[in-house]
């Protein structure tokens, strides 16, 4: 196999490149060379996905059996459309990493691949879907942008040559958002640890290496279609995640579980201050059975926790990202809420 990875230097893109090389594939990457370091042995093609001349030069480097797009998260649909149009004649298949945010009902209702997507044209610019001042409805901006990007790929490559992967939360070594690293570093400090909601609540993060493996499998043998890429329902729990953090770090802390209504009453920011905690009905009810029937395999979450801690302990540093600072809770606020639950 000869593949092109759009991105390819950090987190999911890096895992895709390393997985492809382990299979003995010929790998090219296309990126600006700013956010990470290309793996040894890849064909580095430098360029900007928003520059038409760079995209034209990229296409001259083909052909490829498949393109795996891991870097569209920050792009407007029209930029994805321009790139996919350039690549259509020099690539056999396009595997696009999208997100469950593209669904209209996420995170409010349970989802499957049959759920409605948000509306967005394939040539939308970065301003499409931005919210007006004072808006108090759902924030669909990011989801609309990604739904438009999906449409761009489908318009260029067609349904039979396009594979759309919609992960929920991706964790593992190299995570740059800060969800699992923030839990690990907080729990490693020990003491009374504020834990959110029901410890038996199912959660569905997927390991970055498992998401990469599935993307590579689809690049090689896929027949088109869309897949939700999450851990299966009812296997992993929030309690299991945090107890794995305790065991992995060797911390002597104590988890103190606070009910959802108290956390909401105290203004705890869902999804960020206590990472992965969210009370919406559908956030962790994403049906990914189609992907699992197609070969998605998810390692135990405890293994992801242990490997991420080992990665951090070995002195590795995630790529800098603005979302990192959003995660974690101020110690004073945590202590105040702990006092309310008698800890």
């Amino acid at each position: 196999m000869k593949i092109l990875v759009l991105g390819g230097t950090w987190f999911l893109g890096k895992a895709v490149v390393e997985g492809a090389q382990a299979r003995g594939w010929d790998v090219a990457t296309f990126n600006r060379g700013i956010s990470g370091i290309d793996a040894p042995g890849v064909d580095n093609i430098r360029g900007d996905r928003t520059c038409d001349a760079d995209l034209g030069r990229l296409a001259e480097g083909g052909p490829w059996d498949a393109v795996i797009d891991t870097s569209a998260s920050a792009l407007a649909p029209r930029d994805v459309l321009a790139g996919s149009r350039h690549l259509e004649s020099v690539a056999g298949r396009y595997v696009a990493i999208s997100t469950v945010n593209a669904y209209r009902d996420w995170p409010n209702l349970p989802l499957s691949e049959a759920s409605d997507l948000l509306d967005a044209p394939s040539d939308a610019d970065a301003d499409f879907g931005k919210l007006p001042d004072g808006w108090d409805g759902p924030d669909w901006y990011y989801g609309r942008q990604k739904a438009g990007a999906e449409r761009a790929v489908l318009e260029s490559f067609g349904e039979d040559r396009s594979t759309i992967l919609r992960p929920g939360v991706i964790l593992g070594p190299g995570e740059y958002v800060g969800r699992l690293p923030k839990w690990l570093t907080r729990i490693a400090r020990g003491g009374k640890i504020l834990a959110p909601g029901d410890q038996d609540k199912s959660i569905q993060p997927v390991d970055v290496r498992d998401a990469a493996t599935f993307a590579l499998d689809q690049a090689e043998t896929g027949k088109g279609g869309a897949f939700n890429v999450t851990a299966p329902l009812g296997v992993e729990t929030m309690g299991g995640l945090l107890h794995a953090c305790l065991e992995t770090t060797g911390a002597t802390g104590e988890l103190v579980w606070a009910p959802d209504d108290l956390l909401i009453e105290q203004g705890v920011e869902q999804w960020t201050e206590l990472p992965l905690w969210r009370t919406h009905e559908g956030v962790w009810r994403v049906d990914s059975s189609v992907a699992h029937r197609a070969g998605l395999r998810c390692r135990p979450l405890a293994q992801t926790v242990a490997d991420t801690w080992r990665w951090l302990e070995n002195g590795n540093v995630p790529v800098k990202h603005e979302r990192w600072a959003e995660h974690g809770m101020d110690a004073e606020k945590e202590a105040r809420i702990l006092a309310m639950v008698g800890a």
Side-chain angles (χ1 to χ4, degrees):
M1 283 283 290
K2 184 178 180 181
I3 68 166
L4 169 67
V5 180
L6 302 179
T9 61
W10 48 295
F11 202 40
L12 179 58
K14 182 179 179 181
V16 167
V17 169
E18 291 176 347
Q21 289 181 317
R23 299 180 185 209
W25 293 3
D26 184 356
V27 182
T29 58
F30 180 68
N31 55 62
R32 295 173 299 169
I34 295 174
S35 300
I37 301 172
D38 286 290
V42 304
D43 178 13
N44 312 129
I45 305 173
R46 292 283 182 255
D48 190 326
R49 294 184 63 177
T50 65
C51 175
D52 194 70
D54 287 356
L55 293 172
R57 183 169 49 81
L58 168 65
E60 293 173 358
W64 296 280
D65 296 305
V67 176
I68 301 181
D69 187 351
T70 68
S71 66
S73 61
L75 292 176
R78 69 177 184 183
D79 298 320
V80 177
L81 180 63
S84 58
R85 282 176 171 171
H86 274 284
L87 293 170
E88 186 277 329
S89 63
V90 294
R93 168 167 302 283
Y94 198 114
V95 178
I97 311 300
S98 184
T99 169
V100 294
N101 293 71
Y103 289 113
R104 177 175 295 275
D105 289 328
W106 191 87
N108 297 308
L109 296 175
L111 298 173
S112 73
E113 287 84 357
S115 300
D116 290 338
L117 296 172
L118 290 165
D119 60 309
S122 61
D123 60 352
D125 63 17
D127 290 327
F128 181 86
K130 282 190 174 178
L131 305 176
D133 293 339
W135 175 262
D136 61 357
D139 185 356
W140 283 336
Y141 169 69
Y142 180 70
R144 278 180 156 183
Q145 289 278 310
K146 297 313 106 187
E150 290 186 14
R151 181 170 291 179
V153 171
L154 289 166
E155 286 184 5
S156 299
F157 274 75
E159 293 186 0
D160 291 342
R161 297 168 59 208
S162 302
T163 302
I164 309 295
L165 306 186
R166 300 187 186 116
V169 170
I170 302 177
L171 302 178
E175 186 210 328
Y176 59 90
V177 174
R179 297 181 177 113
L180 182 50
K182 289 298 177 74
W183 272 123
L184 282 163
T185 53
R186 169 60 192 96
I187 286 175
R189 294 201 306 269
K192 304 284 187 178
I193 302 160
L194 182 63
D198 179 3
Q199 63 179 311
D200 294 324
K201 184 174 183 177
S202 176
I203 61 175
Q204 297 178 274
V206 64
D207 189 286
V208 63
R209 296 159 293 186
D210 298 331
T213 295
F214 188 66
L216 291 166
D217 290 345
Q218 292 306 306
E220 184 175 20
T221 63
K223 299 178 181 179
F227 300 89
N228 295 331
V229 182
T230 71
L233 286 162
V235 174
E236 306 288 358
T237 64
M238 180 64 79
L241 169 69
L242 299 191
H243 282 289
C245 290
L246 276 169
E247 181 176 350
T248 291
T249 61
T252 58
E254 176 188 352
L255 297 172
V256 179
W257 295 87
D260 291 335
D261 56 358
L262 174 63
L263 297 174
I264 294 170
E265 178 185 292
Q266 293 304 309
V268 176
E269 290 289 337
Q270 298 195 39
W271 212 229
T272 54
E273 283 195 289
L274 294 173
L276 304 178
W277 169 69
R278 202 164 189 170
T279 59
H280 302 72
E281 179 186 357
V283 66
W284 295 122
R285 294 181 64 188
V286 178
D287 182 357
S288 55
S289 58
V290 173
H292 288 279
R293 288 195 296 271
L296 174 63
R297 297 292 179 266
C298 294
R299 71 195 69 203
L301 186 52
Q303 182 180 338
T304 302
V305 170
D307 291 346
T308 303
W309 181 244
R310 187 178 305 111
W311 187 85
L312 291 168
E313 285 286 275
N314 286 339
N316 294 294
V317 178
V319 169
K320 290 184 179 180
H321 196 277
E322 64 271 13
R323 295 177 67 185
W324 183 271
E326 298 175 357
H327 293 82
M329 180 179 288
D330 174 81
E332 183 177 336
K333 183 174 183 178
E334 181 184 15
R336 173 167 55 81
I337 298 174
L338 284 167
M340 293 179 179
V341 292

